[in-house]
Amino acid sequence: MRLEGRVAIVTGAASGIGRASAELFSHEGAHVLAVDLPDKSVADAFLGIERIACLELDISRKSAPEAIIEAATTRFGRLDIVMNNAGIGSNALAENIVLEAWDRTLAVNLTAQMLICQLAIAHLKQSPAGRIINVASVMAEGTDYGLSAYCASKAGVAGLTRTLALELGKYAITANYIEPGAIATGMTTPLWDARPEIADVWAKKSALRRLGQPIDVARAALFLASDDGGFVTGHGLRVDGGLMLRV
């Protein structure tokens, strides 16, 4: 019960890292607002879990951040933890990427995180243990062909979060970001199921010789959300099984 009595928002919560985190936070005593797209059936993911309420919307919509904060505070009366997990992929060479794809990637992966954090701050200041946990990626530091928009958005998450940590520390609010590696999520699993050889390559690149699971990242998020992580801020916590050790 490390989060007993606390209220958390988790975006991208219908599957993968978001679902595992929402479930773990709830198991540890938190009330959770789980947010995901209308076509993701987020409510179905948490049937029978009393501590989890669900909200279906696109976080990149202009009205979404305010709706998310209002839903959490109206339902539960407070806000202690914001976990910005929702994100999308993008794959196009910088020479060829269209502006719409670039804008959409940054809107979901970076701008929505900033706006949700911005509106949450007033409530987090009232919490005895305010926490911001933004999900970035190992590609905040690395890159690969076709990932200009994705890497730019995730590097932006890292920079945003470090700045939030500096600005909000005087209010006892911590802000950290997680850098997942090759994790079996709703975004990656369909590709890996269709082409198992790609999954094998990523598993072999990891020092631990396996793919990560959503619960691996959820446990890292729990550490940052709980009192255990109360003196950690401005930190990028890499959860990649040693994927990035080799240069």
Side-chain angles (χ1 to χ4, degrees), residues 19-235:
R19 179 172 182 174
S21 298
E23 290 176 342
L24 185 58
F25 286 6
S26 173
H27 181 73
E28 291 287 341
H31 292 282
V32 180
L33 179 69
V35 183
D36 215 316
L37 290 166
D39 63 352
K40 296 294 185 179
S41 302
V42 63
D44 294 341
F46 303 110
L47 287 174
I49 304 179
E50 293 183 0
R51 289 196 182 98
I52 299 180
C54 299
L55 180 64
E56 297 184 344
L57 50 68
D58 180 345
I59 64 166
S60 68
R61 287 175 48 197
K62 186 177 180 180
S63 60
E66 183 175 359
I68 291 168
I69 302 302
E70 183 177 355
T73 55
T74 299
R75 176 68 179 267
F76 300 120
R78 58 186 288 176
L79 180 60
D80 305 279
I81 302 159
V82 173
M83 183 175 179
N84 281 304
N85 166 72
I88 60 173
S90 175
N91 196 320
L93 295 176
E95 181 181 13
N96 301 323
I97 191 168
V98 297
L99 184 58
E100 290 79 4
W102 175 273
D103 287 346
R104 175 65 177 166
T105 304
L106 267 69
V108 174
N109 293 359
L110 178 57
T111 304
Q113 289 201 15
M114 185 278 290
L115 293 173
I116 291 170
C117 288
Q118 185 180 58
L119 292 177
I121 288 170
H123 300 280
L124 296 178
K125 286 179 179 179
Q126 304 304 313
S127 170
R131 300 284 189 267
I132 293 172
I133 304 163
N134 291 330
V135 177
S137 166
V138 292
M139 290 303 172
E141 300 180 43
T143 191
D144 207 341
Y145 292 98
L147 298 184
S148 58
Y150 184 78
C151 290
S153 69
K154 294 302 185 178
V157 169
L160 166 66
T161 311
R162 289 193 299 267
T163 305
L164 289 170
L166 184 63
E167 294 177 353
L168 301 178
K170 61 185 176 183
Y171 305 109
I173 299 169
T174 69
N176 296 284
Y177 57 101
I178 298 176
E179 296 183 332
I183 311 295
T185 68
M187 188 184 300
T188 59
T189 298
L191 171 62
W192 292 345
D193 286 347
R195 299 186 61 186
E197 71 277 10
I198 294 179
D200 290 342
V201 167
W202 283 108
K204 289 175 182 177
K205 285 183 177 182
S206 164
L208 297 180
R209 297 296 190 271
R210 71 171 177 89
L211 299 172
Q213 298 300 317
I215 190 62
D216 294 316
V217 183
R219 288 172 180 145
L222 174 61
F223 165 72
L224 295 173
S226 71
D227 291 341
D228 295 337
F231 200 59
V232 179
T233 196
H235 179 64

